[in-house]
Each structure stands twice: as structure tokens, then as C-alpha cells.
Amino acid sequence: MSLKKYKTVLNGEIFKAEYEINKSKFIAHVKQVEDEETAKTFLQQLKKKYFDATHNCSAWVLGVDGSKQKSNDDGEPGGTAGNPILETIKKNELVNTMIVVTRYFGGIKLGAGGLIRAYSHTAALGLAASKIVTMTPMQRLSITVNYNLFAVVENWIRSKNITVENKDYTDNVQITLLILPEDIDSRLTELKDLTAANFTHTLEEEILVAVEGKEG
């Protein structure tokens, strides 16, 4: 089964943004999560860190198809916190993504509409501060060439902006490339023309590679 492309935030980092209105302080934390256990653990970590906060509201969208969704108002009036955060994630077409918005109440009530706007805006600021990546299916192509063809092949790789995952220098040079699956045939044809078919190749598994940028 072929892998599916999807948008998320860069793994391994936590992104943060703050917003203040009518003396209430809102803090967004954004993280890539791939399962409910990781999401719940992240929420508990933030609740422990911001134990003195008035609310720690959250939402997540899990699964490549976004099939698992959950939001929590954490004591705010129903539908004024968790759902606006969730809708912000969905509007940006992100999956495997969690946002927690912590609120310190400043003594001035915002009203239902004000809360919805504040949580939506803070979540959006969190995403604006995040590195958005497109997890893109790439085919591993391992090629082996003689040293006398190595420079020519390297120039070709650079000219086509092909990602090199690994190089192994032994009796010959073995290079592992990451190529879009739909480009494999044309790239192999180019290599045959370039080297007069003096290379061997192996098609390995498809993997997902994080490509930075907000376009999906």
C-alpha cells in the first residue's frame, strides 16, 4: 500500500506563541503527536508546568486522514475554547497535530464570542510560529557506479535537486537517492542516457520525508 502525503508540524520541536487581551494571557503550545497516548502525556506535562493557570484547553487531530479528533474546554464555557482550537488545526489542513492553549484569567470576562476569538487567534499564532512540513512519500533508489562516472552522476544529482540520503565508497560508489515515486522512471532513463547504462540500481522501500513549507 502506497504512503499518503499529509501536512503536520515539524517533529521533535514544541512551538510557542503568546497573546494578551483584557488582562487575560493566552499561551499556545504546538506539537506533532501521532497517537492519543503521546497527546495526553504532552497535555499533562503542560498542566504540570502551568499548574497555576486558570485553564489548559486543548485539541488534536490524529491519523493521516484526520479521523481522530478531540477537543477539551477544561472548564471554559462549552464550545468556546477546545472547538475553536480544533477548527484552527482543521482549517490549516494539519493532522497528527496538537495545540494546547493555556489561559491566565485577568479579571475581565471576555464573553463567549470573545473567548472563541481569543482561543482561535492564539491557536493561529501558535501555528504561525510553527514549522509546517509536508510528509511526502519518497522512493529510495540505490545506484552503483564506477568512480570514473561519479563526478558526472554527482553533477546530474545537483542539477535535478535530488536528495542524497547516503553515499558508500567501496570498490564502486553506491548512492542512495530519495526520489518522488512518479519521477522514478524518468530519472532512471536520464541515468541510462548519462552513463550509457553503466550503472546498477535497486528500488528500495518508500518512506515519508518531511518537506518544509506551508504548501500541501
Side-chain angles (χ1 to χ4, degrees):
M1 187 173 68
S2 61
L3 301 172
K4 289 185 178 179
K5 180 188 289 190
Y6 64 89
K7 276 203 312 182
T8 186
V9 295
L10 186 65
N11 192 24
E13 292 192 36
I14 297 170
F15 304 97
K16 182 180 176 183
E18 297 184 9
Y19 175 60
E20 195 167 320
I21 183 171
N22 290 347
K23 298 184 179 180
S24 274
K25 185 178 181 181
F26 295 83
I27 308 165
H29 287 85
V30 184
K31 178 180 170 64
Q32 185 189 123
V33 291
E34 294 190 350
D35 53 62
E36 288 195 31
E37 184 178 350
T38 305
K40 289 175 180 177
T41 298
F42 182 52
L43 178 58
Q44 289 308 313
Q45 288 172 344
L46 290 178
K47 283 188 170 183
K48 186 175 180 180
K49 181 177 180 179
Y50 297 102
F51 66 92
D52 56 341
T54 320
H55 308 279
N56 286 284
C57 306
S58 60
W60 67 66
V61 176
L62 301 178
V64 175
D65 56 356
S67 58
K68 293 182 180 179
Q69 303 177 6
K70 187 172 183 180
S71 63
N72 192 304
D73 294 313
D74 194 36
E76 292 282 31
T80 62
N83 193 59
I85 299 169
L86 178 62
E87 289 303 314
T88 302
I89 298 172
K90 289 164 65 177
K91 181 181 176 183
N92 284 271
E93 300 178 333
L94 299 173
V95 298
N96 289 350
T97 300
M98 180 176 191
I99 302 178
V100 181
V101 178
T102 299
R103 181 191 182 191
Y104 285 89
F105 180 53
I108 301 172
K109 291 186 177 181
L110 301 180
L115 285 173
I116 291 170
R117 287 189 294 274
Y119 279 101
S120 293
H121 185 62
T122 307
L125 288 176
L127 290 181
S130 303
K131 289 180 182 174
I132 305 297
V133 296
T134 301
M135 299 303 296
T136 306
M138 301 290 274
Q139 179 86 56
R140 274 195 177 114
L141 173 64
S142 178
I143 62 172
T144 303
V145 295
N146 294 325
Y147 280 93
N148 61 341
L149 287 170
F150 180 46
V152 173
V153 172
E154 268 207 317
N155 286 335
W156 170 78
I157 290 169
R158 277 195 295 268
S159 71
K160 299 295 181 179
N161 292 318
I162 296 171
T163 300
V164 177
E165 187 181 43
N166 187 53
K167 291 179 187 174
D168 192 14
Y169 302 94
T170 54
D171 293 341
N172 296 300
V173 185
Q174 183 176 313
I175 312 167
T176 304
L177 307 174
L178 298 178
I179 296 175
L180 291 169
E182 60 267 28
D183 290 345
I184 286 290
D185 289 343
S186 62
R187 295 296 184 235
L188 284 173
T189 298
E190 290 165 3
L191 268 175
K192 285 174 185 175
D193 293 342
L194 190 69
T195 65
N198 285 312
F199 74 98
T200 59
H201 75 277
T202 305
L203 283 177
E204 301 179 6
E205 72 273 28
E206 279 189 24
I207 62 169
L208 285 169
V209 176
V211 178
E212 282 197 39
K214 297 187 184 255
E215 294 300 320

